[in-house]
Structure formats: structure tokens, C-alpha cells
Amino acid sequence: MSVYNYTARDAKGASTEGTVDAQTRREALRKLQARGLKPSKIEEAGAAVRAKEASKEGGPADKDLEPTEAECLPFLESMADLVRSGMSAGEALRLLALRLQKSRLRALCAGIWAKLGEGQSLSVAMGAYPKVFDGQTLNLISAGEATGNIRDVLERLIAHFTEQKEFRRKLVSAMAYPLFICVIAIGVVIFFVLFLLPRLQTLLNSLGGKLPLSTKLLMNFASFFVVAGPIFVVIAIITAIGIVRWRKTEEGKIASDALLLKVPIAGSFVMRVSVLNFCHTLAVLLENGITTAEALRLAEKTAPNRALRQQLREATDRVLEGDSLSKALARTGYFPRLLLDRVAVAEQTGNLAPGLRDISRSYRADLDRWLGTISQTISASVLVAAFSFVAFIAFAIVAAVFEVSSSFRF
């Protein structure tokens, strides 16, 4: 049995403080209400003090230990492990605040536990950390509290964030190799143009003789690159600064995002990722009992592109006005026809949430294949371009050597 400290008001409105013995915090609340007291604050003696100390050690006052978005998934996994074993959410938080080794995660649990001790609900307490938990997570936790299915909500949130983490890992892996090849190719070109060709040009000029056309083209390109290269770099820096400043305005963000959607490969990638996030998030929200209107509002915010997000917001408005989801999404022009047909079938059969889950799963597999193809294409194109340039340099050098040597008279 635990001891709980409380602050309450009696029937006359007078404030009183004291302690009460109870197995759980809920039982302590019932005992106080049986005495005719209205508790305003109740917390377990000793544990709350240690939780506050843990919070002070790694709380928001210490910027290096302030909880971030990276703590969201570990927090949910730790909570789910204890809730799965039969603990209540409050008991799980109290234990985590005292037992966890990671400072940031311990500070997060301690802070939430302290707020629970003040009488706040779990979703409200988690809402005090907006950098860690987004709106859809808080709404799902709130729905789980209302329905008593907090365990199921935690499991689905963990699956959702795990899939997102795995997708980001695949994305980084798919784009890392093409980026590496591009950097190496640019480095090879710069080395030849800035270091090798000037020395070769000095040698050929000292030997005299007529140079072939390929060598002249190479020399002219090197001279142009040396002179115009710094100018292009300065122009690129000024342009980048201007774009950054332009994107700080709301009009600039929407206009630049709309322009990005028209770029061949980048636009297709942004649309595919946004469509996947929208379908997957909407499925998770609907499966956890969130109303369709609230689920659509939360799902549309997952689109990173503001122009696309604006189109999704208009589609949500059409759904709330009575239009079907498939027709509203079709008007955006960003959703594939086959996907829309599957959404329409899911609506007609009344299985929208499971249908969206299946759609997101198959669409993720399709996106993985598309990323693999794009990665291989970019890598092959860069390699071919780099090897072609190096081959042209080698041909120009060899042709110049033969041309100069043929002019010698022994």
C-alpha cells in the first residue's frame, strides 16, 4: 500500500492538506471523495519527489537534456512494455521516471508523471512536450483514454512510427549511393580541370606544334571554368540566400513548393511520399476511433509540401460538405487512379480504415521499388557522364601527345 499526499477542499470550500493510504491513485481519489473532499492535487509520497528531482536533472531547464522528437518512439515502446504486463499508464510512468538510464527519456517520463500527479490526464500531460509528441499522437492517446484501449493505441502508434522510421532509413540508403557518386564525379572533374590540365597545357605549349581539335576544346573549357567558375559559385550563393529569404514568407513557401511539384523527379518523389503519409496516417487515426473529420484534418498536416497540403485541405472541406473521399482526392490531381479506385471500393464496403491500411502497405512497396529504380538510374547516369568526361580528357591528352611527337624532326 502506498501513501499519497493530497491538497483538497472540503464542503465549506476550505483548503486542506494531508495523506491517505491506498493501493492506487484512483483508490485514493475515491477515499477522499467519500470523505466529502474535492482533491485539487494528489501525488504519491516519495515517488513524486524523486520524479521531480529526475525532472530537474534532465528537464527543459537543461537545453542539452531537453526531450526531442527522437524520444517519442522509445517512450511509447517503454510505456507499452509495462502496460502490456498489466500496469496502468500512471504506474508505468512512475516506474520509468525512476528506472530509466537515458537522461532525456527519464526527464520526459518524470515530467509527465509530475503532471499526472497534479490531476492532468495522460494526453494533456504529454501535450506539454510539443517537440516530442505531435497532434495526431495526442489525439490518439486521448481517444485511448476515453475508450479504455490505451494499450491498443500504444501498439498502433509504435507500429506507425516504426514503419516511418524504417521508410526514412530506406530513403537515406537509396539516395546515399547516388549522392556519393555525384560527389566523387565532381571531385574528379575539378581535379582534372584545376590541377592536371594547367600543367599539361604548359607542357604542350613548351613543346610547340599544332594541337588537335579535342585538345583545344579541352583547354578552352578549362580556361573558361577557371575564370567563370568562381562567378558561378558567387551567383549560386546569392541565389540560395534569396531563395531562403523568399521561403521565409508564406507566399514564397507556397509558390516554391508548388514549383517543386513540377520538377520531374523531385516533384514525383514529394507527391508519392505525401500520398503515402496521408493514407497511412488516416488509417491509423480511423482505426483508433478518431472521427472522420478530425482524422482528415490531422492527416492533411502530414504533407510536407504546403501546396499539396492546401489541396488536401480543400479535399477535406469537400468531404465535410458531403462529397466522397475518393472524389475529393481525385480533384487534387495528385492521387493515382488505381489508388482512388481502391479508396472508392473501401468506402462502398464500409471498410475505409482497413482499406487505407492495405493501400498504404502496397503503395509503400511500390515506392520502395520506384526509389530503387531512380537510385540505380541516377548512379548509372552519373557514372557514365563521369567516365565519358575522363575518357574525353584521356583521348585529348593522347591525341595531343601524338600530334606533337609527329611534328618532331630527328
Side-chain angles (χ1 to χ4, degrees), residues 97-112:
L98 300 175
R99 298 288 185 264
L100 286 175
Q101 298 298 322
K102 294 183 179 179
S103 299
R104 288 184 177 178
L105 192 56
R106 185 179 70 249
L108 175 62
C109 295
I112 296 177

Side-chain angles (χ1 to χ4, degrees), residues 95-398:
L95 188 61
L96 292 173
L98 300 175
R99 298 288 185 264
L100 286 175
Q101 298 298 322
K102 294 183 179 179
S103 299
R104 288 184 177 178
L105 192 56
R106 185 179 70 249
L108 175 62
C109 295
I112 296 177
W113 163 244
K115 294 183 182 300
L116 287 180
E118 297 173 359
Q120 296 182 4
S121 64
L122 179 59
S123 57
V124 174
M126 292 170 61
Y129 296 89
K131 293 183 179 180
V132 182
F133 307 106
D134 55 15
Q136 68 182 38
T137 301
L138 297 177
N139 279 280
L140 288 174
I141 294 294
S142 178
E145 289 179 296
T147 59
N149 295 324
I150 190 68
R151 174 180 172 179
D152 294 338
V153 169
L154 288 174
E155 297 288 354
R156 288 171 178 171
L157 280 172
I158 290 171
H160 172 64
F161 286 119
T162 302
E163 289 180 4
Q164 285 191 333
K165 183 179 180 180
E166 180 65 18
F167 175 72
R168 286 194 293 267
R169 186 193 65 79
K170 289 182 179 180
L171 176 61
V172 172
S173 300
M175 301 309 296
Y177 182 67
L179 182 61
F180 173 76
I181 295 298
C182 289
V183 171
I184 294 299
I186 293 174
V188 169
V189 171
I190 292 177
F191 171 76
F192 272 104
V193 171
L194 297 182
F195 296 97
L196 182 60
L197 288 181
R199 290 170 174 75
L200 178 63
Q201 186 175 11
T202 302
L203 176 62
L204 294 177
N205 290 336
S206 64
L207 294 176
K210 185 179 180 182
L211 297 177
L213 178 61
S214 59
T215 307
K216 291 180 180 180
L217 291 174
L218 187 61
M219 298 301 180
N220 291 334
F221 171 76
S223 301
F224 174 79
F225 184 82
V226 170
V227 175
I231 299 176
F232 287 142
V233 171
V234 173
I235 293 176
I237 293 175
I238 294 175
T239 303
I241 294 175
I243 292 175
V244 170
R245 291 184 176 180
W246 180 46
R247 278 188 58 83
K248 289 182 178 180
T249 63
E250 189 63 25
E251 295 80 4
K253 291 176 182 178
I254 296 177
S256 58
D257 284 350
L259 182 63
L260 178 62
L261 292 176
K262 298 179 181 179
V263 178
I265 296 179
S268 179
F269 170 74
V270 171
M271 283 190 291
R272 287 170 181 264
V273 172
S274 299
V275 169
L276 175 60
N277 288 340
F278 178 82
C279 293
H280 187 263
T281 303
L282 186 58
V284 171
L285 293 171
L286 293 175
E287 286 174 344
N288 286 276
I290 303 297
T291 62
T292 303
E294 185 65 22
L296 286 170
R297 290 300 182 195
L298 291 171
E300 72 186 26
K301 295 178 182 178
T302 60
N305 189 282
R306 287 171 177 80
L308 180 56
R309 190 186 308 168
Q310 189 175 19
Q311 291 292 326
L312 291 175
R313 187 177 301 114
E314 293 177 1
T316 300
D317 293 336
R318 296 189 189 100
V319 173
L320 298 180
E321 291 172 359
D323 205 351
S324 65
L325 179 60
S326 57
K327 291 181 179 179
L329 295 178
R331 293 185 182 181
T332 64
Y334 297 128
F335 288 77
R337 296 295 305 176
L338 180 59
L339 186 148
L340 293 173
D341 292 339
R342 296 179 65 181
V343 172
V345 172
E347 285 183 297
Q348 293 172 2
T349 57
N351 296 318
L352 183 57
L356 288 171
R357 172 71 71 175
D358 292 338
I359 290 172
S360 62
R361 189 180 297 111
S362 60
Y363 199 74
R364 184 185 298 276
D366 180 69
L367 181 58
D368 289 341
R369 290 191 295 269
W370 182 83
L371 280 175
T373 302
I374 292 298
S375 174
Q376 294 175 2
T377 302
I378 293 177
S379 301
S381 300
V382 173
L383 284 174
V384 169
F387 288 157
S388 299
F389 185 77
V390 172
F392 176 74
I393 292 176
F395 173 77
I397 293 174
V398 172

